Amino acid sequence: MKDPIVEIDNLQKHYGGSKGFFGRVRKPVKAVDGVSFTIHPGEVVGLVGESGSGKSTVGRTLLRLHEPTAGKIRFDGEDITHATPQRMRALRRDMQIIFQDPYSSLNPRTRVIDIVGEALDLLGPLPKAERSERVVQLLEQVGLTGDHLRRFPHEFSGGQRQRLCIARALAVRPRFVVADEPVAALDVSIQAQIMNLLVDLQREIGIAMLFISHDLGLVEFIADRVMVMYLGRVVEMAPARELYANPRHPYTRALLSTAPTVDPRAARARKRELLQGEPPSPANPPSGCTFRTRCPFAVDACAVERPAYRQVGAGHFHACIRDDVAGGQVVPQVA
Amino acid sequence: MLRHFTLIFAVAFLLLIGGMAVLAPLLPLHDPVQMDVMSRLGKPSLTYLLGNDEYGRDIFSRIIYGAQASLAVSLSAAVLAAIGGVALGLLGGYFQGWIENITMRPLDVILSFPPMLLALLAVTLLGPGTGTLTVILAILFIPAYARVTYGEVLSVRNLEYVEAARALGHRSGRILLRTVLPNVAGPILVQFSLVVASCIVLESGLSFLGLGVVPPDSSWGLMIRGARPYMHMEPLGLLWPCLALVFTVFSINRLCDFLRDMFDPKASVAAFTLPGMLAGQRLSRTAHAMSRKAEPDSLLQIRDLTTEISTPRGPIRAIDGVTLQVRRGEAVALVGESGSGKSMTGLSVMKLLPRRIGRIASGEIWYSRGEGENARAIDLAPVPASHFRAYRGRDMGMVFQEPMACLNPVYTIGYQLVEAITVHNNVSKAKAEEMALAELKRVGIPDPERRLREYPHQLSGGMRQRVAIAIALCGQPNLLIADEPTTALDVTVQAQILELLEDIRRTSNIGLIFITHNLGVVAEIADRVVVMYCGQVVEEGSVEEIFYSPRHPYTRGLLASVPKPEDLNSGEKRLASIPGTVPSPLALPPGCRFAPRCSYSTEACSVAVPELEVVTESQAARCIRWKEI
């Protein structure tokens, strides 16, 4: 196997937290609390979690758009955790991001030709004619046309705007892209268009991608490998097929059992593993396993220490101390 | 009309005075410093249009040359201050941390002195003169720009397009000038015109005190100073410079109001003359009986409902001839994409359309009250929104996507529930509190006694939605309209809320209209499904009919767009998608509204809007080719 393009080791990102004036200590919010993973060239890794799980923060911190609190980020073998701003600017061409909201991620006062063209300029100055020719090429690659060159972002629909964002990200020929909920703000019929576009482009160019989403169906569709995050930690990681067929962590199981399906009979027939309550605040997470407060299988031992990762199959890891839970039932352990 | 008049006046006045000030040396004016002792304090005449001052100088030409001084000092001070202030604001707002401290904190020092006092101090120390005055004014107004810029930059810097520019690897300087600056320019421009006006006033004030423009040069402030001792003999001499000052400042302020409106995209929208039905129609309706015998089992029957919304680019039909029915205890899902009119249908029924912007143009909303033989149906469409309180809450409740929309952040949950209960029931406060507790238990809130005393922000999103449901239910309505109630919630919490709604519907036998774009949720909860597109119902049927034998190409497309395990097993990794985008409600295609995106469309599809054709007893589709497809 080739060397990984992205390697994250024990990444942490804490927000806030300070020693108050009268010695009152405010606890930081641990948005990302010790996340490690690798992404190989050309691989699509899905990152699933609910709001507040820290999945978006992982994406932004590993691109150093936000500074990590602790941990190591390696890109293409190079440690970029403390890379200088000059070095980062050079590296940014290789790593891009597509945002969730196609409305706020385009400068409203810039024309299409410059939105994409300014990204192209970073590769070096081009003669004017060649520049606009290249912009048209990129637009056509994402399903827009050269007629759109002189328009402003507000003249486009949500789906078209997201295409523009993708064209801008691809303009610098990145080798790795973070797609942060790229279709969550779009209508269902448009979602499918953009998902197909992402799959096509990913195959064509062979870029590696971190696909962040709360939608399990979309992740299953696009990802080779899937990580599930809960309260700043990855609780399970497995090849996509394996995860959906054989989820091991109680949280993953609950997510899968409550995921919407468009089959009414199946939806009503299935046994749902309804979770109690809601995720606790990341400012004050439970001790030990952070999921234990909602977990139907929690035992006293879960509160003691943070569960270590256990390997249960090829590339399949989970962080639950109980491996006697399967199929929603506690099975007696075979000695 | 007056608005336009003042604006035209302002622009004309500024052009006139500005033009004359610039062209003063070329105009046939008297020399502003030449004295004509014979006509000291002279009245206006043909030679001296506005009369003469205490030295016999021509007032008119001194006003013009005074304008030159005033405008030159104010404009250059405003420009200098803008350059300094915007630069500081950009740096402070974008970088934050220690740069923010060294750029923004010193400005607070300037702000903490009254501007006039500071100007007085500086001029006294440095001596009067136009140059000093300009610099002093510029320094005085730097904080004004810096603060405005700083505030705007703070809100813009977190927008994703700035982050995208950083992600691309642009330099900070470039991001500041090319990405941030154009987006904060609007308020800065407005600030500029405000500062010019303030500078003119301050300059005149300082000159009046003898600390500004040095005589014999002209300035409005100097003129007022000169005319003051003689105001009993010749009041006109005082009046002219004052008028010039007042009109100039007024004109500049008026112009900057206009600029602010220009940069504020909240364009004004034409309001409808009458909320609700057109006047004539309403009168004729009230004359006839508005109620009739209810059809058995029916709770709500909407017939041919059309709702208009006024937009900046003209009125649109947000919903266009919608017909649908809800029975007692039935869950009807309204499905559609943004702009399909699904939410507008709910708001129309609840009479919660934006006031004077939205109105029910035609159609009937028959709502059944009472049991069995005595049940009567009432047409709610002509009932004006102001009389609708009798129905809201008691007959029909509504739950929104954002639970905070119906919770007031400054009152406790208990207070709001008790308030809602006492509106609908004539009970004592103690009894109402008891009922509130029972309501909270009913919607599955753990530890309800404690929750009653808490404020909405202390509750999680799911808990808030439960409280919102409790409030909607406390009038014991027969119909609950839920508009995307789970969209803002996480999947695991969404499942809880769906269970709750299902449970409530079963135990209380209420009708539920569930508005959503999420087909998975529909499959979970609905008995019947109504699919909407561009304001029209394109297909309706039982949940099984819609999901297992959809007839309309749009329904099929929607269902196919959702990723399913089968998509993965086929070697080709593709989702079926609907090409194109939803048309603008201002430019709807003729005929079938889905035709431009439909792979089955023929020429016949563009001729006339298809009728909703009956497929089975319970299913109908608005497609002329449903049989073939």
Side-chain angles (χ1 to χ4, degrees), chain B residues 339 533-534 581-589 593-594 596-597:
Chain B
Y533 186 76
C534 287
T581 49
V582 180
S584 151
L586 288 157
L588 288 172
R593 291 175 184 179
F594 185 60
R597 301 176 70 191

Side-chain angles (χ1 to χ4, degrees), chain B residues 382-411:
Chain B
V383 177
S386 49
H387 290 53
F388 204 74
R389 282 187 46 202
Y391 299 94
R392 271 185 219 137
R394 202 165 313 170
D395 287 300
M396 42 186 81
M398 186 148 183
V399 183
F400 297 90
Q401 175 174 342
E402 234 338 293
M404 281 311 267
C406 76
L407 294 176
N408 188 331
V410 300
Y411 292 112

Side-chain angles (χ1 to χ4, degrees), chain A residues 3-7 39 41 72-81 87 91 175:
Chain A
D3 289 335
I5 187 159
V6 178
E7 273 175 281
I39 299 175
K72 246 196 181 86
I73 309 164
R74 294 168 76 83
F75 185 80
D76 213 8
E78 179 185 345
D79 186 343
I80 61 163
T81 325
R87 181 70 193 128
L91 282 169
R175 287 184 294 153

Side-chain angles (χ1 to χ4, degrees), chain B residues 203-227:
Chain B
E203 183 275 328
S204 302
L206 288 172
S207 298
F208 176 79
L209 295 172
L211 297 170
V213 175
V214 190
D217 284 348
S218 177
S219 137
W220 294 340
L222 271 181
M223 290 176 73
I224 298 173
R225 175 189 169 93

